[in-house]
Amino acid sequence: MHRTPEFPDLLRLIDERATAFRAVIASAPSLDARVPTCPEWTLFDLAQHLGQGRRFRAATVAAGPADAPPAEAVAERTAPAPREREELLAWLAATTQQLLDTLLAADPAGGCWTGWGPTQLTDTCGSVARHQVQEIAVHTYDAQVAVGAPQPLPTEVALDGVEENLFISSFTTSAWPHKPTAFDLHAAEGRSWRLTVDGDGARTTRLPAAGQDPDAAGLSLHGTASDLVLYLYKRIPVDSLRLDGDPELLDLLLAWEPEDWA
């Protein structure tokens, strides 16, 4: 059964993944280590990016509905992190607490700026919390890769991450320029989704769904929920998954660049 995590669950997962990230930073032999999945960054750069992002999102949530990020949020995104390890760890913990405190004070259904463009989600404080779980989780994986100890994303995080990524990054109202088809994603943990592409654009539904032909997919991707998320975020190659159907359809999808793609 599909279940979107409740708001308190999202706050718990933000805290858990942020704690896991700090554990990597605390134990890393060097903060100058390169991050293979973010090749232009060192571990310090990754930590600074993550902390700046938490401060930025806290400011946008606090500002409420807006057509653009407020000036104070933009300033938070460029505030440098301390380079000394213990100070950096304290700064990371403080940025996480800042985000959590701001979310706790917010209405989960209240609006705020997200910057995603058109998606299948509503721009709410709750959707920001949901996305922050994924961002922190994936960057924790990045940090683990950098120290040679990658771990799968926790199942609870990964299962929601497949859907959340598809609802944001794979939605468009631009017409698919090829023959209509569908891409099914099957998590080994028992959940499935269908990305349909046709003249109306691209949209995702959960499977099984009433009225949907189980054989309609042109290509199906199978893997653990963690592997599906990491593939969607371009952290692992497609050959980490099992494909059934026409693999050339995936080439068409990856080459497609709708103007409103999030």
Side-chain angles (χ1 to χ4, degrees):
M1 178 181 294
H2 287 268
R3 186 184 76 86
T4 300
E6 300 291 337
F7 194 63
D9 293 325
L10 296 173
L11 302 187
R12 169 179 57 82
L13 292 171
I14 286 173
D15 190 36
E16 288 179 3
R17 289 298 84 205
T19 298
F21 182 87
R22 293 196 304 276
V24 180
I25 297 301
S27 63
S30 171
L31 297 183
D32 292 326
R34 307 304 300 185
V35 182
T37 47
C38 303
E40 295 183 359
W41 287 349
T42 63
L43 263 180
F44 172 81
D45 295 329
L46 180 64
Q48 178 170 255
H49 166 78
L50 196 60
Q52 289 172 337
R54 302 303 68 72
R55 293 162 65 110
F56 173 80
R57 287 300 177 184
T60 58
V61 168
D67 295 328
E72 57 268 28
V74 175
E76 293 283 19
R77 201 170 220 169
T78 59
R83 286 192 167 271
E84 195 277 324
R85 190 188 304 250
E86 291 304 315
E87 291 181 3
L88 177 62
L89 289 167
W91 180 81
L92 286 169
T95 63
T96 300
Q97 195 59 52
Q98 180 181 353
L99 176 63
L100 290 172
D101 289 345
T102 303
L103 288 169
L104 274 170
D107 176 5
C112 65
W113 182 88
T114 64
W116 296 329
T119 72
Q120 287 183 243
L121 301 178
T122 304
D123 290 351
T124 65
C125 299
S127 65
V128 168
R130 190 182 184 195
H131 189 64
Q132 286 307 295
V133 172
Q134 300 306 317
E135 182 162 349
I136 299 170
V138 172
H139 281 324
T140 298
Y141 174 83
D142 292 330
Q144 293 168 343
V145 170
V147 299
Q151 298 293 322
L153 273 60
T155 299
E156 183 181 11
V157 172
L159 282 170
D160 192 54
V162 178
E163 179 170 295
E164 200 265 354
N165 181 283
L166 290 171
F167 279 12
I168 291 178
S169 298
S170 297
F171 174 79
T172 179
T173 56
S174 297
W176 170 248
H178 310 287
K179 181 181 177 181
T181 190
F183 300 85
D184 285 357
L185 289 84
H186 300 287
E189 294 84 353
R191 296 188 195 173
S192 298
W193 299 262
R194 171 164 295 171
L195 174 65
T196 300
V197 289
D198 55 25
D200 294 325
R203 60 209 171 275
T204 299
T205 53
R206 295 170 176 173
L207 292 175
Q212 287 188 322
D213 179 359
D215 298 321
L219 181 66
S220 295
L221 294 80
H222 302 259
T224 65
S226 177
D227 282 348
L228 288 172
V229 171
L230 293 173
Y231 169 70
L232 289 171
Y233 278 102
K234 301 179 181 179
R235 264 43 182 198
I236 61 175
V238 72
D239 58 15
S240 301
L241 307 174
R242 177 169 65 83
L243 304 184
D244 290 334
D246 182 359
E248 293 185 1
L249 290 173
L250 190 59
D251 295 332
L252 294 178
L253 184 65
L254 295 175
W256 189 30
E257 296 182 352
E259 291 183 2
D260 63 348
W261 204 277

